[in-house]
Amino acid sequence: MSGAQTQSELLESIPEWTLQDHKLYRRIEFGSFPEAIAFMCEAAFTCERMDHHPEWLNVYKVVDIWLTSHDAGRVTERDVKLARAINEQLQRTTARRPA
């Protein structure tokens, strides 16, 4: 995160994410456990391609995600890029889900 960009500007650029304990955080509730796991499996490939891996937790149909750059000791542009990629994945997943 650049010094010129405020925390509020940063969060505006990644809807649904908040700052929690100096990490980006998002909770996602899916329709079922298989949907939550499918999301995590697909996101794992994105994380691997970006060489940036989240802290995450799955309980039934809920996935909690925390992003931070441990080597920098703070949220960086890498975290923001991964958050955006996760948001884009969720938009694609929602579009594929039957109404």
Side-chain angles (χ1 to χ4, degrees):
M1 179 168 62
S2 71
Q5 191 174 31
T6 67
Q7 284 186 355
S8 60
E9 289 171 333
L10 167 76
L11 291 172
E12 285 176 17
S13 75
I14 46 174
E16 308 297 327
W17 293 83
T18 61
L19 281 174
Q20 184 183 82
D21 298 323
H22 308 289
K23 300 174 185 178
L24 292 178
Y25 171 75
R26 181 166 181 185
R27 171 170 277 198
I28 308 161
E29 185 169 340
F30 294 89
S32 66
F33 176 71
E35 287 180 19
I37 294 301
F39 160 78
M40 292 178 79
C41 289
E42 185 177 341
F45 288 101
T46 300
C47 297
E48 191 65 18
R49 272 193 310 276
M50 296 178 77
D51 192 29
H52 197 47
H53 305 92
E55 297 174 27
W56 55 9
L57 173 69
N58 165 243
V59 177
Y60 183 47
K61 62 182 184 175
V62 175
V63 176
D64 292 296
I65 306 170
W66 295 268
L67 301 176
T68 189
S69 295
H70 295 283
D71 55 341
R74 60 184 173 82
V75 172
T76 68
E77 188 61 31
R78 292 181 72 205
D79 304 298
V80 175
K81 287 179 181 177
L82 183 53
R84 287 182 184 134
I86 289 169
N87 283 357
E88 289 169 10
Q89 176 190 331
L90 285 165
Q91 288 176 338
R92 288 190 308 273
T93 302
T94 303
R96 287 193 306 255
R97 205 178 291 158

